[in-house]
Amino acid sequence: MDLRKLRYFSVLAEEKHFGRAAQRLALSQPPLSLAIRQLEEEIGARLFDRTSRNVSLTAAGVALQREAQVLLRRTEETRALVKAVADGKEGRLRLGFVGSMLYRGLPRILETFQAASPDIDLSLQELNSTEQIEALHRDEIDLGFIHGRGAPKGLEGFRYHAEPFVACVPVEHPSARARMLRLARLKDDPFVLFARNVSPDYYQSIIATCLAAGFSPQVRHEVRHWLSVVSFVANGLGVALVPRSLKTANMAGAVFVPIPEATILSETWCVRKAGGPQRPALDTLIDAARAEAGTAG
């Protein structure tokens, strides 16, 4: 498939306007229209619905847009890798991580790795656990730090860190000054939870912990990042159960209180695709993570 036409398609899919797309591509509209028609003929499917005013993706176009983004990104990564080798560097690694890793030793891992492998270009992507798992399977990242209870199917790795959950309450909350907080005292408060579609395991574990304490939590908000959970609490929008290490975020307005019911653990796993090729640089990065494991948080 012609990468030039894919790039034209990708820009038009984003702009949904031939004039703006042509301007971004530094083309006139006729060559862009011709390239899109040729791509549709090559694929055997209509990619856009066109009217005098609007351009919209068909179902086939939506599917191609997703795959085109992957192909174009991989092409650019290949170009960057080849250039790095030509410049005398060993190569490039792509690391995915959940946001909480910023408080669980990620900066020290990077420092250790870069001291040992100064010729490796290391790119970082903050992704949730589900996104990282998909990216590892699609060879879009080389190593990930995910939340979970083990290495998912098709991946291999080790438990990097585990810690208990604590209650996170607004500073004005009646229990904010408690040395220990019985979870049942929060039964009438609205809860902020890590989104179920991002981490169903954490969501169900927190619900189960509350049920074991004798109440069903009033789930008012669901967000995609732990720091967002803490931010919601700090702004008085509810209470939450969060990993203990988030205390180090030092977010004004949020207080962290131990709970005796903290039987569930927040686990972070360092994972890679199982059976992948041997890469000395990747092994060095994993060794840096192993050295830091257990000391974070």
Side-chain angles (χ1 to χ4, degrees), residues 51-71:
T51 68
S52 58
R53 294 186 177 182
N54 297 313
V55 176
S56 60
L57 286 166
T58 63
V62 171
L64 180 61
Q65 183 184 31
R66 182 172 58 249
E67 298 303 320
Q69 289 171 344
V70 174
L71 286 170

Side-chain angles (χ1 to χ4, degrees), residues 10 37 39 58 64 86 88 133 141 149 154 163 167 191 196-197 205 209 220 241 247 252 264 277 279 285:
S10 184
R37 285 198 303 271
L39 182 61
T58 63
L64 180 61
I133 292 167
I141 60 175
R149 300 286 185 253
E163 63 180 309
F191 268 71
R196 178 174 8 204
N197 65 328
S205 294
T209 298
R220 185 70 54 81
L241 298 183
K247 290 176 62 175
I264 57 173
R279 298 184 62 185
L285 181 57

Side-chain angles (χ1 to χ4, degrees), residues 117-276:
S117 304
D119 290 334
I120 301 298
D121 285 335
L122 184 61
S123 65
L124 307 180
Q125 296 183 56
E126 182 180 359
L127 304 167
N128 67 45
S129 299
T130 300
E131 290 169 339
Q132 287 187 66
I133 292 167
E134 293 174 353
L136 284 163
H137 284 303
R138 295 168 71 110
D139 294 318
E140 294 175 7
I141 60 175
D142 303 298
L143 190 70
F145 287 96
I146 66 172
H147 295 309
R149 300 286 185 253
K153 184 178 180 181
L155 305 181
E156 60 186 12
F158 64 95
R159 190 171 79 169
Y160 169 80
H161 180 67
E163 63 180 309
F165 280 75
V166 296
C168 180
V169 299
V171 68
E172 305 88 358
H173 194 277
S175 299
R177 296 182 181 275
R179 296 182 61 186
M180 181 73 72
L181 173 60
R182 286 282 176 184
L183 197 51
R185 293 181 64 181
L186 303 180
K187 64 183 178 68
D188 296 324
D189 288 283
F191 268 71
V192 184
L193 261 65
F194 206 82
R196 178 174 8 204
N197 65 328
V198 174
S199 182
D201 184 68
Y202 273 168
Y203 187 96
Q204 293 300 332
S205 294
I206 291 172
I207 296 292
T209 298
C210 293
L211 290 174
F215 71 99
S216 178
Q218 305 174 38
V219 180
R220 185 70 54 81
H221 308 289
E222 294 186 31
V223 296
R224 294 174 57 86
H225 300 281
W226 281 120
L227 288 181
S228 298
V229 173
V230 177
S231 180
F232 269 54
V233 173
N235 284 282
L237 298 176
V239 301
L241 298 183
V242 303
R244 183 178 59 193
S245 64
L246 287 177
K247 290 176 62 175
T248 61
N250 295 320
M251 190 173 293
V255 176
F256 302 84
V257 186
I259 53 175
E261 297 93 342
T263 57
I264 57 173
L265 293 176
S266 169
E267 296 185 24
T268 303
W269 281 70
C270 177
V271 292
R272 63 179 293 180
K273 190 173 183 179

Side-chain angles (χ1 to χ4, degrees), residues 22-83:
Q23 186 174 14
R24 271 183 61 182
L25 292 165
L27 295 172
S28 61
Q29 289 190 42
L32 174 59
S33 298
L34 176 61
I36 296 302
R37 285 198 303 271
Q38 290 174 339
L39 182 61
E40 289 177 324
E41 291 172 1
E42 180 181 343
I43 291 174
R46 192 176 76 257
L47 301 174
F48 294 97
D49 285 325
R50 307 164 177 84
T51 68
S52 58
R53 294 186 177 182
N54 297 313
V55 176
S56 60
L57 286 166
T58 63
V62 171
L64 180 61
Q65 183 184 31
R66 182 172 58 249
E67 298 303 320
Q69 289 171 344
V70 174
L71 286 170
L72 292 170
R73 184 166 59 248
R74 289 296 301 275
T75 299
E76 178 57 28
E77 289 172 352
T78 300
R79 185 201 64 78
L81 173 61
V82 172
K83 185 177 186 304

